[in-house]
Structure formats: structure tokens, C-alpha cells
Amino acid sequence: MELKSRHYAASDTAEAMELCYAKGWTDGFPVVPPTEERIGAMLAAAGLDPDQQVAFIENRQVSVTAEKIAINAVLAGCKPEYMPVIVAAVEALADPLYGYHGPATSTGGSAVFMLVNGPIARELDMNCGDNLFGPGWRANATIGRAVRLIMRNTIGTLPGVLDRSSLGHAGKYTFCIAENEAESPWPPLHVERGFKREQNAVTIMAALAPHQFSNGLSSTPEGVLTTACANMRICAGTARQPQYVLVFAGEHMAIMAKAGWTRDDVQRYCFEHTKISVAELKRINLKDGAVGPEDDTAMQSLVQTPPDFLVIAAGGRAGVQSAYIPGWGSKSGSQSVTKEIRRP
Amino acid sequence: MTIQIFDPTIEAKGRHIAYAPRPKSLAGLRIGLVDNSKHNSDQLLLRIAGLLERDYGAKAHVMRRKRSAGVPPSPEIIDEFKAGCDIVVAGVGD
């Protein structure tokens, strides 16, 4: 294995970590020094040669090689067995449907939300339960971090330069979860999208921060979703009609299961009950122009179609909290993409 | 013991981009306007076209809208501009 990247000498680990800061390679947190041995282990775990192109980012005219992915995965603190997940996520970033340039550069400030499905999530001890979007699990913390470091270091998506987010959010450090496939009332999302249950897949979506909502009063899907829809109705991400992830945690998930509501039922209910009048959009300055006579009855849906709600089960068993995650921009600019995770 | 660490960045490769030749005059030329779909971008572009026609003698303009600000114009728009326009104005920001 011959690495082509330029390399630098440091006298010890502490100096190597400081050198990484000095070179501008970190997200602000300390990184693991990318040595040849560690990089080699990453490449071996994915069965890739260093100079193999994994993705070509058309807008940036950037070829992302396995070597650069491996170096960034080491920096992020990944174990070698995480590498195939990162490779699949980078393939997804380059998919024209994802449309890298828009979400990566926009003042709208999206992160790359990542959902890992399939047996690999359990094997890597990925969190799909308590403290879902919080800290505590190495795979969740470092896989998402690696993808962001690749965007920064290899695709040049530097804050204030190419990444012009006005605000950004904490998901830009890492925003990676697994689905609670064991307890979900629904087929895993990747199965919904054409993969087999035993296959591994990662879904990415350009996303704003998760919004939590609480409902401890209802024992029916309609009751829980009424709260969800009321919260979502005026929340349109940074434009109109992006995709949304709906994350149902323990008690709300159990309510859906008990009532026998399918994913399709949830999507249709939310599609109908998040519609908002053009008049209201104009009144709250989300749509241009004066309120006209027809505007009170002209309804606009939050998403283009019911499947644009990506309904998943994840989060802690206890509690009456669930969440929705608005996508960035609109569906015409960026869509969620699912890629198979391939292991050698 | 010295540690060797490897660079995660890529070095930009020099690439030659051939710009279209600039016209010496706009007199009689047809203008293509790329509306990037952002709010008021169409108004700004029409203003620009008006100035180019009034002050520099451009002949006419046509405006086409991209489906999203973050993507290139569709091949249909590019083909239409190639066939029917002499200059194109693009690059409207926020």
C-alpha cells in the first residue's frame, strides 16, 4: 500500500495533534493523528485501494479517493470497521439527487443527517435509543464527524469560505443515528426504499436541527400526530417543501404499533394535517404578496408528497417525546439518498 | 520517535477554463438571463437587461428560471441560450 498524500513529521502524539490544528484540519475538537498504520487499517476494512475514486463531486470537480476518506476517518476517531459506512455516505453525497453544492454552501446551514439501517448498525453498537441525538456512542459520534471532515478537508467546504451557513447547528459536528428496527412498528426505512432487511444501507438528508415535541395526553396516533402537525405546520426549513424526517420514540412508537398504524397511514395523516393556507403563509411573511380573496381557502402542503415524510422509529423507550427534522431548502434542490453499505 | 501524519486535504489542480470571447459591443445583441429562483432575482435581472438595452444597445432579452439555486441550468435552458442568445447574465446571489 502506497499513500500518495503529503506527510509531515511530528515528534510525538501531542505535537501531531497540534499540527493538525495548525494545518486547519479539525472541526475544533482534537483529532487522532492519521498515521500510515491507522490509514491502512481503514482501507483494509473497506477493501479499497488508496487511489480508488469513491465519489466525484461534480460541482466542485473534486475526486474523493479512498485514501482521503481513510485519513479523515482516522482524524475523526473512527474504528476501521466504520469505514464502509463512511464510504457509502460519501457516495450518497455525490448523488445528483442530493445535489451537494446547494446544501453544502447555503446560508440556510444544513447538516448531513445520516440514518444507518441493517445488521451493521447493531454490530457497530450504533445508538438508536436513549439520548438519540446526544453524545455517548463512538460510532454515532465519529461516523458523522468523519463525513463532515471529508466535506471540510477534501471537498473544501470550509466554514465562512464555501460553507456560508449563517447559523449552522450542532448536527454539523455529527448527525448520525440508527433506526430501532427491533421494536419499530414499520419495516426499516431502507426496506421501504427497496433494500433487503439483511442488507446494510445509509440514508443521508440535508437537514436542519431536530425539533422535539411532547405529547403525554394522547393515547391515539391522531392525538400524537395532531401535536406533531401543529408544530410542523409553519416550520418549513429554509424554503418550502423540503423533505422531513419524523422520529417516533418509545411511547409514541408504542401508540402507533398498538393502533396498527402503518408508515403510510402516518405519512398521509401528516400530509393532510400540515397543510397551511396561502393567506397564513403571507401573513407570517413566508410567502410574498398581499392576501387575496382566494388565499384563505387555497391550501399548500408542507411537503410535495406523503412519502416526503421519512417516518422512522428511534429514541428512548421512556418519555412522551418525538421529533421532526426539517430538510434543507426544497425537494427540488436536494433530496434524501439511500446507498448500500458494502463490506469486503 | 518521529510520527508521520498524512494530509487529509487535496491540492487544487490547475485547470484551464476557456472563457467565451467577450463582445466588443453589446449593440444589437440578444441577452439570456438565468433566474436562479431566489426571491427578486427576476426583478434584478430585468433591471439589468433594461439598462443593457437602454444604455448599451442590446436588442432583446429572454429569461429562464432554474429549478433551484443550487443546481446548474437544465440542458434545455443552455441549449435555448446557445441557439438564441449572444450573451448571458447569471450569478445573482442573496
Side-chain angles (χ1 to χ4, degrees), chain A residues 13 21 43 54 57 59 64 117-118 132-133 204 217 227 304 315 329:
Chain A
T13 300
Y21 273 117
L43 290 164
V54 169
I57 307 294
N59 295 100
V64 185
N117 278 115
L132 182 69
F133 297 110
I204 69 164
L217 302 176
T227 307
Q304 286 180 2

Side-chain angles (χ1 to χ4, degrees), chain A residues 12-343:
Chain A
D12 57 22
T13 300
E15 188 180 303
M17 289 166 70
E18 286 303 322
L19 185 58
C20 293
Y21 273 117
K23 291 283 180 190
W25 296 343
T26 97
D27 51 15
F29 287 117
V31 290
V32 175
T35 60
E36 186 169 12
E37 185 186 2
R38 292 176 181 139
I39 298 162
M42 287 287 170
L43 290 164
L48 295 172
D49 294 324
D51 58 357
Q52 209 166 322
Q53 177 176 287
V54 169
F56 186 74
I57 307 294
E58 186 70 34
N59 295 100
R60 308 307 312 163
Q61 292 289 297
V62 167
S63 172
V64 185
T65 62
E67 177 172 330
K68 293 299 180 186
I69 292 175
I71 296 172
N72 282 286
V74 173
L75 284 171
C78 292
K79 288 182 177 179
E81 54 263 41
Y82 303 168
M83 180 73 177
V85 182
I86 302 161
V87 168
V90 172
E91 287 173 354
L93 284 180
D95 191 303
L97 269 184
Y98 183 77
Y100 185 86
H101 185 70
T105 61
S106 169
T107 54
S110 64
V112 180
F113 171 74
M114 296 172 60
L115 176 73
V116 178
N117 278 115
I120 196 170
R122 269 88 67 195
E123 291 165 27
L124 301 183
D125 188 31
M126 296 200 70
N127 184 29
C128 66
D130 288 333
N131 206 24
L132 182 69
F133 297 110
W137 281 261
R138 182 173 177 178
N140 300 56
T142 62
I143 291 172
R145 187 188 188 200
V147 170
R148 176 56 57 176
L149 287 175
I150 291 161
M151 292 171 67
R152 175 193 177 90
N153 290 328
T154 306
I155 313 177
T157 313
L158 291 162
V161 183
L162 187 64
D163 174 359
R164 299 302 304 271
S165 301
S166 304
L167 297 170
H169 62 87
K172 292 181 80 169
Y173 286 104
T174 183
F175 203 0
C176 181
I177 63 167
E179 192 171 9
N180 184 351
E181 296 180 12
E183 295 175 309
S184 172
W186 310 299
L189 188 77
H190 72 309
V191 173
E192 185 81 19
R193 295 185 154 207
F195 294 90
K196 296 192 180 82
R197 192 176 275 268
E198 62 273 19
Q199 280 180 297
N200 298 308
V202 62
T203 298
I204 69 164
M205 186 181 91
L208 307 186
H211 295 237
Q212 183 175 307
F213 64 89
S214 300
N215 178 334
L217 302 176
S218 302
S219 56
T220 63
E222 292 95 332
V224 171
L225 296 179
T226 297
T227 307
C229 292
N231 275 270
M232 283 191 285
R233 199 168 296 129
I234 60 165
C235 178
T238 51
R240 296 304 298 179
Q241 298 189 323
Q243 294 180 310
Y244 273 65
V245 180
L246 298 181
V247 185
F248 293 98
E251 294 188 31
H252 290 167
M253 192 201 311
I255 289 170
M256 303 293 165
K258 191 176 174 190
W261 272 46
T262 64
R263 177 178 272 129
D264 187 55
D265 291 334
V266 175
Q267 288 168 329
R268 285 179 186 283
Y269 187 96
C270 290
F271 186 75
E272 289 304 321
H273 292 83
T274 50
K275 287 179 179 169
I276 188 170
S277 72
V278 170
E280 184 63 4
L281 286 171
K282 287 182 174 176
R283 286 188 196 108
I284 60 177
N285 303 315
L286 289 177
K287 197 172 181 66
D288 188 30
V291 177
E294 313 284 311
D295 289 346
D296 273 311
T297 51
M299 302 301 285
Q300 193 171 92
S301 60
L302 185 70
V303 294
Q304 286 180 2
T305 66
D308 289 324
F309 288 112
L310 280 61
V311 175
I312 63 169
R317 279 186 182 158
V320 289
Q321 336 296 337
S322 289
Y324 63 92
I325 305 172
W328 167 87
S330 65
K331 195 180 162 190
S332 61
S334 181
Q335 297 185 31
S336 59
V337 170
T338 303
K339 295 284 182 191
E340 185 186 4
I341 299 165
R342 293 183 303 274
R343 291 192 281 192

Side-chain angles (χ1 to χ4, degrees), chain A residues 6-8 10-11 68 332, chain B residues 1 3-5 7 9 67:
Chain A
R6 184 180 293 182
H7 49 92
Y8 302 88
S11 59
K68 293 299 180 186
S332 61
Chain B
M1 189 184 76
I3 300 172
Q4 295 289 329
I5 61 170
D7 192 330
T9 67
R67 71 177 162 82

